[in-house]
Amino acid sequence: MSVPTASSAASSVAFSAASSALRLLRTELRRSVAPWAGAAVLAAALAFLTLASGPWSAGTTRWTAQWTSMALWTRHLLVFLWPLALGLGALQGLRDHRSRTAELLACTPRPARQRALAQAGPIVLALVTGYGLLLLVGGVRVLTGDSTFTPAGWLPISLVGALALAAGAVLGMGVARVLPSVLTPPALAVGAFLLTSLLRPTTDAAIPASAVPNRLSLLSPVTAPVRDTLLTVAAPVHLGQVLWLLGVTATGLALLAAAGPRARLLALAPLLAGGALALAVLPAAPRDTYVVDRAAAAPVCEGPVCVTALRQSQLDELASPGREALRLLRAALGDRAPGTVRETVETHAFGEQPERSADAVLVDFDDPVFAAATGDRLTRALVAQGIAPNCHPRSEVESGTLDDAAAQSVAAAWVFGDLRPLDGTMHRASDQSELAGPVWERFRVLPEAEQRLRMAALHEAAVGCADDVLATLTGVPTR
């Protein structure tokens, strides 16, 4: 007869406990709204991202363009997913009250903490699973797209998002346990939506993050819309938000387990402590909230043409037009010509002047002029940018100025011999022609030597962001 050892007995106890926990989880999943909660998160997010149009659905900032954009856009959806999780958690927290078993369960020998964990576990698991499936769908589409760069920074962004959904559900359950009313779930959901909308942050230092200071706005789990694909969330933001969300989770569990007014009051301590620690860690300025991902911005070069590691897949398309553009610029500007083509990595606030350089042709792939250009069109755009770098940003929401577009079209016409409107801008071709046409006609009749002098003056004025760059070509103001 064999005698069971201590290790085998311990293994048997652990196996029995695990089996009991799995049975309890299956039972709770059948009795709760948890599966529907996870399905609601997944369906609502995918419907928004695939059916609604916006910067998340097209262009270089679309949510499946690269990993960081995918993580940031799915976090941005927490503006309505987090209130949804809070409301569904509150609905789950009313289950015992609806079935009138709250007093009966309170008399059972099982500790209140275990009951709280058993109730919260299924809905947390379902919400995190739904959010994880959303990330899986996005990740598969990123992998099958053009991006070849996989940054590590996307993972903490997504993990904090999953933690936010879990914390919201647990807090909703705790509040519903304290305020057992049918009005509690909708009131919490609407209040949370208004709060996340009020605290909605921005990546732009020129625009206030919200109606409240930046640190308070970062207590919201919602991230700003993706405006610059090289930006990522700073590490102090992750740390502060994790501390805050852990405090929210602890308070929710404590409210679930609280048996009296004193315990409910003490349950607020983790929330206050987490908030205080988070405010001490979170950055005060929006510019410190979103920072350039240095790994993504690392240069990858083919001769004098360089892009960031994030855009390495586009280097082959840029290399040949870039070298041709540098040759044409050398013939046009001589020793003053830029010697390299490189992707810009400097960020700028909304409406702020972008980076300019006399030594390099700076390419911004978020600029619609470069985003869709290939071959000869790309060469022409590079030549125009090399002679007259745009002084005002162009993107999905910023059009640049008509003067910039006209100056670049005239500069390209001098090199290629024909005047064409600049492709990709938000300015109509007729408006560009109306402004650039007279300038080109006056300029083209000048002697060649004078043309070179004035084109060099245009280059210097554009790099310095002068007020009226077109005037350097004609000698008279254009306005």
Side-chain angles (χ1 to χ4, degrees), residues 233-323:
V233 180
V237 178
H238 292 316
L239 177 59
Q241 290 181 337
V242 166
L243 291 172
W244 163 243
L245 293 171
L246 289 177
V248 171
T249 305
T251 289
L253 290 173
L255 289 174
L256 270 176
R262 179 182 175 84
R264 291 168 182 171
L265 188 61
L266 290 175
L268 298 177
L271 183 74
L272 297 175
L277 290 173
L279 292 175
V281 172
L282 292 171
R287 190 176 292 275
D288 298 326
T289 303
Y290 297 89
V291 296
V292 174
D293 186 337
R294 294 302 172 189
V300 179
C301 300
E302 185 176 318
V305 181
C306 298
V307 297
T308 61
L310 178 67
R311 314 281 191 185
Q312 185 172 355
S313 60
Q314 297 180 255
L315 181 58
D316 290 341
E317 295 181 4
L318 181 64
S320 180
R323 286 192 293 267

Side-chain angles (χ1 to χ4, degrees), residues 56 88 150 175 209 225 236 241-242 252 255 269 285 297 373 382 473:
W56 57 84
L88 290 171
T150 305
V175 173
Q241 290 181 337
V242 166
L255 289 174
L382 290 170
L473 297 178

Side-chain angles (χ1 to χ4, degrees), residues 38-64:
V41 165
L42 177 61
L46 283 178
F48 182 87
L49 290 170
T50 56
L51 299 179
S53 61
W56 57 84
S57 60
T60 58
T61 60
R62 68 187 185 278
W63 80 288
T64 55

Side-chain angles (χ1 to χ4, degrees), residues 3 24 47 101 180 193 195 201 204 223 230 305 321 344 426 428 442 448 451 456:
V3 179
L24 179 61
T101 59
F193 178 73
L195 185 63
D204 200 329
T223 55
L230 288 174
V305 181
T344 180
M426 296 184 183
R428 293 180 301 179
R442 288 195 296 268
E448 182 179 350
Q451 288 182 11

Side-chain angles (χ1 to χ4, degrees), residues 75-84 86 164 188-201 209-212 216-223:
R75 274 283 299 277
H76 183 68
L77 295 187
L78 292 183
V79 70
F80 65 85
L81 292 182
W82 193 74
L84 179 64
L86 198 67
L188 278 178
V190 172
F193 178 73
L194 293 176
L195 185 63
T196 54
S197 299
L198 176 68
L199 300 181
R200 188 180 301 181
S210 66
V212 297
L216 284 179
S217 74
L218 291 177
L219 295 181
S220 166
V222 181
T223 55

Side-chain angles (χ1 to χ4, degrees), residues 26-351:
R26 286 196 298 267
T27 301
E28 288 289 335
L29 285 172
R30 287 196 301 268
R31 297 175 56 203
S32 70
V33 299
W36 296 105
V41 165
L42 177 61
L46 283 178
F48 182 87
L49 290 170
T50 56
L51 299 179
S53 61
W56 57 84
S57 60
T60 58
T61 60
R62 68 187 185 278
W63 80 288
T64 55
Q66 47 102 4
W67 288 97
T68 302
S69 293
M70 185 268 292
L72 287 172
W73 278 123
T74 51
R75 274 283 299 277
H76 183 68
L77 295 187
L78 292 183
V79 70
F80 65 85
L81 292 182
W82 193 74
L84 179 64
L86 198 67
L88 290 171
L91 186 63
Q92 171 73 359
L94 290 177
R95 188 187 64 184
D96 294 342
H97 175 73
R98 291 196 307 269
S99 59
R100 299 180 181 179
T101 59
E103 293 183 3
L104 176 64
L105 292 173
C107 298
T108 60
R110 177 182 290 181
R113 291 189 183 89
Q114 288 187 14
R115 291 200 308 272
L117 289 173
Q119 292 176 14
I123 194 166
V124 166
L125 178 62
L127 288 172
V128 171
T129 300
Y131 191 69
L133 289 175
L134 173 65
L135 296 174
L136 179 62
V137 172
V140 169
R141 294 183 63 179
V142 171
L143 287 174
T144 56
D146 297 330
S147 179
T148 59
F149 179 73
T150 305
W154 77 272
L155 189 57
I157 298 174
S158 298
L159 290 177
V160 173
L163 177 59
L165 289 175
V170 174
L171 180 63
M173 292 182 68
V175 173
R177 175 79 165 78
V178 176
L179 302 172
S181 168
V182 293
L183 297 178
T184 299
L188 278 178
V190 172
F193 178 73
L194 293 176
L195 185 63
T196 54
S197 299
L198 176 68
L199 300 181
R200 188 180 301 181
T202 177
T203 56
D204 200 329
I207 302 175
S210 66
V212 297
N214 189 63
R215 285 193 176 98
L216 284 179
S217 74
L218 291 177
L219 295 181
S220 166
V222 181
T223 55
V226 180
R227 190 180 66 87
D228 189 325
T229 52
L230 288 174
L231 292 182
T232 189
V233 180
V237 178
H238 292 316
L239 177 59
Q241 290 181 337
V242 166
L243 291 172
W244 163 243
L245 293 171
L246 289 177
V248 171
T249 305
T251 289
L253 290 173
L255 289 174
L256 270 176
R262 179 182 175 84
R264 291 168 182 171
L265 188 61
L266 290 175
L268 298 177
L271 183 74
L272 297 175
L277 290 173
L279 292 175
V281 172
L282 292 171
R287 190 176 292 275
D288 298 326
T289 303
Y290 297 89
V291 296
V292 174
D293 186 337
R294 294 302 172 189
V300 179
C301 300
E302 185 176 318
V305 181
C306 298
V307 297
T308 61
L310 178 67
R311 314 281 191 185
Q312 185 172 355
S313 60
Q314 297 180 255
L315 181 58
D316 290 341
E317 295 181 4
L318 181 64
S320 180
R323 286 192 293 267
E324 176 64 12
L326 291 176
R327 184 188 68 79
L328 294 172
L329 287 170
R330 180 71 178 180
L333 297 177
D335 294 339
R336 297 183 180 183
T340 61
V341 174
R342 64 176 175 86
E343 182 182 355
T344 180
V345 297
E346 296 293 329
T347 61
H348 60 272
F350 186 86

